[in-house]
Amino acid sequence: MYASIATVCLSGTLSEKVAAIAAAGFKHIEIFENDLISFDGSVKEASALIQDNGLQVVTLQPFRDFEGLQQRDRVLAFDRAKLKFEQMHELGTELLMVCSSTHPNSVGGITRLADDFNELGELASSCGMRVAYEALAWGKHINDYRDSWEVVRQANHRAVGLVLDSFHIFSRGTDLNAIQNIPGNQIFLVQTADAPKLSMDHLSWSRHYRSFPGQGELNIEAFMNVLASTGYDGPLSHEIFNDIFRRSDPMQTAVDGYRSSQYLLSMLPQQQNSVPEPVPLSGFDFVEIATQAKHQKPLHALLGAVGFVKQGKHREMQAEHWRCGDVQFVLNSDPEFANQFLEKRGTGVVALGLKVDSAYATTKRANFMGVPVVEPAQVNALHSMVGMENVDGTVWYWVDASTSQHAFDSAFESLKVEDEKTAIPLIDRVDHISLSQSYPDFLSSLLGFRVIFDLDIAPAFDVFDPQGLIQSQVVHNRDRSFQLAFNATDAKNTHSARFIERAKGSGVQHIALATPDIFSCAEAIQNGGVDCIRIPQNYYPDLQARFGLEDALCQKLMRFNILYDQDDNGVFYQLYTMPIEGRLFFEFVQRENNYQGLGAANAWLRASAQQLSEVAG
Ligand code: MG
Ligand code: MG
């Protein structure tokens, strides 16, 4: 199998699409009919453009409303096919993709449709062409690949084959098992798309919400496994209709498409020895925050209050190393480094360390996925860590047991730690990191993490901010020692949008630290003079009634502005600080009895409370 992408995935003109697709590393392309018709030039000129970019056309698509027609409608359908075959000759492709009919006059019946395809196969082969039949999930008579396969089987013509499109199959929840009985050489084309799981009609879901494999929630791996069992060896072609892609930079979309293709290829059983495995993550090693020296005070107060101790200072830069147990922060206020970032973005996260089994294996996996690896020399670093630059500009280093201690020892000079004996460590680990991203950045960074690391994706959900909707989605490793929350919004004044505006772009919006004792933590923060967001008081009687909480617990929650939730397993407590310079903030959480998730039930209230607290100043 080999990678391909349909022009419909990208924004722009055919010339822009072709250039981006070629630059991203693709060698094969599907030409979407609208892109050819709207091209400013002849079919021959379009073909020259495609060839000049080193691309080969795998199919012209879609050929709509062909089968099941009668009389004049049928004659016209065959005439249209003749025109397409002529154009395909000029485009240098021999495959026409026919999708199942939605024509109001079309009639059904497998045998009748098979006869139409037999005749089309004759016409195609007389022109040196082939046709492939796709069951649209909303096709009038054929909307299930098992039926389109039966049409192809009965058409019984060597120029007629099948299209499998992962979206159409998953959107109707069709069983995948029948795929394994289809001979691979009778599948002429495979189209790949992922999507969030939504309950809506198939057509709207498909036209607006498809995404690259790795960006959605469908079980693409199961699809690839059963596909591999057929012996299919043709194109794996992304076909994505997505409102965000329609307005995004075509180059970024093409680059993401390439990564997604590599991700698909890595799922094939026969690849397993040659492709580096997805990398297991086991949490966060450190978080680096850039801030000016004059703005360090609130960070020092906050970290000091919950038991962090300053361990070292950087040998060359103006930067500090703080630690509490296994949790480490770097506060970087070096004028040369921090100022260029800070002038633009303000205090914020510039880099993170991810705990991996092997940094070497992670680099190999990133290379295979087409994700550029940031080398220490590129960032003038004393350490030897490598990582990836996320689309929002943050660098995510991969750190294994052999590099972690060494990275800090080589870059930081240890300080004589005086407070260590008196500091009471209240923090266990980083619970999760939350990112506020523009929609294009959200899809791009979600994919970047999923193609390299072995992560599960939780269902997307909506957060009702008082100023609009925020879409939220979490990825995590199996034991949830690594959790990343993505937030994206189109509504201008939501909390997420305000962050992006103030930080001049997508980035890390909050850092959630896990504590074994939320009340001691809250008290310590309060005593340290750190402001937390105020939770509207009406929340607490409601909470008490919902969960039957004791008066004393409720009073305590209210006193410290702590949010509370329960799931089938356990209990979750959350406390939020006020944002620093209106941007980055901290969350403190306590999990009891293996509570799952990040407190989605309270997210809407947190958004409201943040707005109220910001207004109150
Ligand atoms: Mg399709
Ligand atoms: Mg959070």
Side-chain angles (χ1 to χ4, degrees):
M1 292 183 222
Y2 52 92
S4 165
I5 186 168
T7 53
V8 73
C9 301
L10 280 65
S11 67
T13 62
L14 183 64
S15 312
E16 290 164 336
K17 292 174 187 220
V18 164
I21 287 168
F26 284 99
K27 299 279 176 246
H28 296 90
I29 188 170
E30 272 184 44
I31 301 297
F32 192 64
E33 187 180 70
N34 297 21
D35 284 317
L36 184 64
I37 294 172
S38 62
F39 176 67
D40 188 16
S42 65
V43 176
K44 223 184 189 94
E45 285 165 331
S47 178
L49 169 79
I50 294 161
Q51 278 178 30
D52 289 349
N53 278 276
L55 293 167
Q56 198 187 328
V57 180
V58 299
T59 189
L60 175 66
Q61 64 109 334
F63 189 62
R64 296 184 194 279
D65 294 336
F66 159 71
E67 76 282 24
L69 295 175
Q70 293 164 298
Q71 297 168 351
R72 185 174 149 74
D73 286 338
R74 190 170 189 276
V75 174
L76 284 176
F78 276 90
D79 285 348
R80 263 195 304 132
K82 277 181 209 148
L83 171 71
K84 296 298 160 189
F85 293 146
E86 282 163 24
Q87 292 179 334
M88 285 159 58
H89 188 72
E90 292 190 282
L91 279 175
T93 182
E94 38 82 67
L95 188 64
L96 180 68
M97 198 211 84
V98 184
C99 58
S100 60
S101 185
T102 60
H103 197 291
N105 300 340
S106 70
V107 288
I110 298 276
T111 309
R112 178 200 303 271
L113 305 183
D115 287 347
D116 286 347
F117 271 97
N118 181 280
E119 198 173 327
L120 186 64
E122 269 306 297
L123 178 63
S125 56
S126 73
C127 306
M129 300 291 165
R130 301 186 303 155
V131 294
Y133 187 37
E134 173 187 58
L136 290 181
W138 55 90
K140 190 175 172 201
H141 303 287
I142 301 293
N143 50 41
D144 181 322
Y145 76 88
R146 293 168 297 195
D147 291 336
S148 52
W149 165 236
E150 194 51 28
V151 171
V152 168
R153 209 181 59 78
Q154 290 189 24
N156 192 23
H157 196 290
R158 63 186 164 75
V160 178
L162 186 69
V163 180
L164 291 176
D165 179 315
S166 61
F167 179 84
H168 292 303
I169 296 170
F170 282 114
S171 77
R172 294 194 78 93
T174 315
D175 192 286
L176 297 175
N177 280 323
I179 293 176
Q180 63 198 352
N181 302 322
I182 303 171
N185 62 2
Q186 287 185 263
I187 303 169
F188 285 0
L189 178 68
V190 172
Q191 292 181 314
T192 47
D194 204 336
K197 282 187 180 158
L198 301 170
S199 332
M200 66 196 305
D201 70 278
H202 305 297
L203 178 61
S204 309
W205 190 11
S206 175
R207 290 267 163 90
H208 302 286
Y209 297 99
R210 282 183 180 223
S211 56
F212 286 131
Q215 292 176 326
E217 300 165 33
L218 306 181
N219 192 352
I220 299 293
E221 195 156 1
F223 175 76
M224 292 302 292
N225 274 327
V226 69
L227 180 65
S229 74
T230 66
Y232 172 73
D233 196 25
L236 270 183
S237 194
H238 293 317
E239 187 195 31
I240 317 294
F241 309 90
N242 181 299
D243 292 349
I244 299 160
F245 292 2
R246 288 180 217 278
R247 64 180 201 218
S248 300
D249 172 17
M251 195 59 235
Q252 185 62 50
T253 308
V255 164
D256 288 341
Y258 181 80
R259 290 174 188 172
S260 173
S261 291
Q262 294 295 92
Y263 182 53
L264 287 177
L265 292 172
S266 79
M267 292 174 187
L268 295 172
Q270 63 265 38
Q271 299 283 336
Q272 266 165 12
N273 293 327
S274 56
V275 175
E277 296 274 299
V279 179
L281 277 171
S282 49
F284 298 90
D285 189 74
F286 69 89
V287 181
E288 179 176 354
I289 297 174
T291 184
Q292 278 163 329
K294 63 183 178 196
H295 289 137
Q296 275 188 350
K297 226 173 140 189
L299 280 166
H300 285 168
L302 178 81
L303 294 178
V306 293
F308 281 86
V309 172
K310 185 155 71 166
Q311 303 279 324
K313 73 182 204 351
H314 199 278
R315 295 179 197 277
E316 288 185 357
M317 293 167 101
Q318 212 168 297
E320 301 170 350
H321 172 208
W322 288 67
R323 178 192 275 277
C324 178
D326 268 352
V327 186
Q328 309 186 86
F329 280 93
V330 174
L331 304 184
N332 192 335
S333 57
D334 193 77
E336 236 179 87
F337 169 81
N339 281 354
Q340 50 178 335
F341 178 88
L342 288 165
E343 267 167 33
K344 197 173 140 222
R345 311 205 50 173
T347 297
V349 173
V350 282
L352 297 100
L354 300 175
K355 286 185 187 166
V356 295
D357 286 355
S358 157
Y360 175 71
T362 315
T363 300
K364 273 178 60 180
R365 176 83 178 174
N367 286 337
F368 177 80
M369 290 298 163
V371 176
V373 172
V374 178
E375 300 287 344
Q378 287 169 257
V379 287
N380 284 330
L382 285 185
H383 62 70
S384 56
M385 297 181 296
V386 295
M388 62 169 178
E389 183 175 345
N390 191 25
V391 65
D392 61 13
T394 49
V395 179
W396 298 66
Y397 291 104
W398 26 89
V399 183
D400 58 22
S402 69
T403 46
S404 175
Q405 189 59 41
H406 178 71
F408 280 96
D409 288 349
S410 59
F412 288 86
E413 184 185 320
S414 298
L415 292 174
K416 203 171 138 236
V417 179
E418 283 156 8
D419 314 336
E420 193 136 52
K421 285 196 192 86
T422 54
I424 302 165
L426 290 169
I427 301 303
D428 279 329
R429 59 195 168 79
V430 175
D431 185 85
H432 63 273
I433 296 285
S434 177
L435 309 170
S436 280
Q437 309 264 295
S438 69
Y439 265 112
D441 289 352
F442 156 60
L443 285 175
S444 192
S445 45
L446 176 68
L447 183 73
F449 283 97
R450 279 190 86 197
V451 299
I452 299 180
F453 301 109
D454 186 15
L455 298 173
D456 292 334
I457 187 164
F461 66 96
D462 293 330
V463 176
F464 299 99
D465 183 286
Q467 302 296 326
L469 215 59
I470 298 173
Q471 189 189 330
S472 193
Q473 187 137 36
V474 176
V475 293
H476 59 87
N477 63 353
R478 295 297 117 75
D479 69 4
R480 292 178 183 266
S481 57
F482 173 86
Q483 304 188 92
L484 208 55
F486 295 89
N487 291 294
T489 182
D490 266 337
K492 272 202 160 88
N493 292 316
T494 53
H495 192 264
S496 262
R498 294 199 298 277
F499 171 89
I500 291 170
E501 199 197 333
R502 289 167 186 165
K504 304 283 192 305
S506 309
V508 172
Q509 182 218 36
H510 72 264
I511 300 160
L513 300 174
T515 174
D517 182 354
I518 192 79
F519 294 108
S520 299
C521 191
E523 201 161 0
I525 289 168
Q526 202 174 62
N527 294 339
V530 177
D531 290 331
C532 289
I533 63 163
R534 277 188 310 107
I535 301 302
Q537 300 304 291
N538 290 339
Y539 170 69
Y540 294 98
D542 188 69
L543 190 69
Q544 184 165 25
R546 194 148 36 105
F547 293 118
L549 303 182
E550 302 276 331
D551 282 347
L553 174 61
C554 236
Q555 289 298 326
K556 236 169 138 182
L557 292 170
M558 185 155 78
R559 188 176 140 216
F560 289 114
N561 291 293
I562 293 170
L563 297 169
Y564 176 97
D565 191 33
Q566 291 181 7
D567 68 5
D568 292 344
N569 298 310
V571 170
F572 193 52
Y573 303 88
Q574 299 166 275
L575 171 70
Y576 291 94
T577 68
M578 285 292 285
I580 300 165
E581 299 165 35
R583 301 177 182 95
L584 177 72
F585 60 93
F586 287 79
E587 177 183 0
F588 294 93
V589 306
Q590 183 183 346
R591 292 175 186 276
E592 277 175 5
N593 302 327
N594 203 20
Y595 174 95
Q596 308 281 302
L598 308 184
N602 288 322
W604 67 275
L605 182 73
R606 187 257 286 175
S608 300
Q610 277 169 319
Q611 197 194 12
L612 287 174
S613 296
E614 280 186 33
V615 172

